[in-house]
Amino acid sequence: LIFFCVPVRMKHVGYALVAFALGISPLFLVPMYKLGIEATVAKIFDDTHGHLNLFMQVEKMFRESVKLPLYLLYQFPSCAIISGFVGIRTLWKKDRLLSVSLAFLCVSNAAFAMTYFIQRQFALLISSYLVCAIWIAAGLEALFERPQFRTLEKQIAALLMIVLSPMMLYAVFP
């Protein structure tokens, strides 16, 4: 199986499906097994008044997805975002399977978070922020490998700029 020019073994797809089933089982599969399929379907139709698209509101997801880059910019100000883009490119060159996996995790988590109310979105987006932090770290690693950033003082200055820029942003725009 080829996914984004990356060979993927079918057993890995199977592992992912089993992990997903185990993760969702306490929320969906176990109650459905206890109630029975007919009672579960009746309860879903009763709770949603027959509108199964209540969970997936496409226009709300699109509207909230447009705001996602602004959330990322607020979490990771400009220096970190630039480092993150460098990190995406660097990881793509080193390990494509890891790159595709991280991108899938980030996008799928963000899409899931966009279905919730705005108050819960920020907590649900933490996984996407962690993926962005991995990309930023990969970008910093690529930056530190360049000859002009091999000195300890320049590396500390770059780290301080990335670490202190969110604090300055939050102080200006609380």
Side-chain angles (χ1 to χ4, degrees):
L1 180 66
I2 303 295
F3 185 68
F4 285 106
C5 303
V6 178
V8 177
R9 293 189 179 102
M10 288 306 293
K11 70 177 184 180
H12 294 145
V13 175
Y15 293 155
L17 291 174
V18 168
F20 178 76
L22 289 173
I24 199 170
S25 64
L27 301 173
F28 185 69
L29 297 177
V30 171
M32 185 170 75
Y33 176 74
K34 287 181 180 177
L35 286 175
I37 191 70
E38 295 87 15
T40 301
V41 171
K43 179 154 180 43
I44 290 172
F45 273 106
D46 185 47
D47 289 348
T48 62
H49 305 290
H51 301 289
L52 289 179
N53 64 349
L54 190 64
F55 177 71
M56 297 295 279
Q57 299 173 3
V58 177
E59 61 188 44
K60 179 190 180 299
M61 284 180 63
F62 178 74
R63 186 175 61 246
E64 296 298 324
S65 296
V66 171
K67 296 177 189 175
L68 184 63
L70 297 174
Y71 295 153
L72 287 175
L73 190 61
Y74 188 69
Q75 285 299 102
F76 305 106
S78 61
C79 302
I81 292 290
I82 293 168
S83 177
F85 283 124
V86 171
I88 291 170
R89 190 188 73 199
T90 303
L91 278 180
W92 181 257
K93 289 179 182 177
K94 287 184 179 179
D95 190 352
R96 289 193 177 188
L97 184 59
L98 176 64
S99 300
V100 170
S101 301
L102 288 173
F104 177 75
L105 175 66
C106 185
V107 170
S108 61
N109 180 63
F112 177 72
M114 294 305 142
T115 61
Y116 279 85
F117 296 114
I118 191 86
Q119 295 86 357
R120 294 188 181 163
Q121 282 179 8
F122 300 112
L124 292 172
L125 284 172
I126 289 174
S127 298
S128 294
Y129 296 153
L130 289 174
V131 170
C132 291
I134 292 170
W135 288 331
I136 291 167
L140 279 176
E141 180 187 20
L143 181 72
F144 291 163
E145 289 175 354
R146 291 185 168 188
Q148 55 267 46
F149 279 97
R150 295 237 171 127
T151 64
L152 183 62
E153 294 85 14
K154 289 182 180 179
Q155 290 178 354
I156 290 173
L159 281 173
L160 284 175
M161 189 166 54
I162 287 183
V163 170
L164 293 178
S165 58
M167 293 179 204
M168 292 184 299
L169 179 74
Y170 298 152
V172 174
F173 302 105

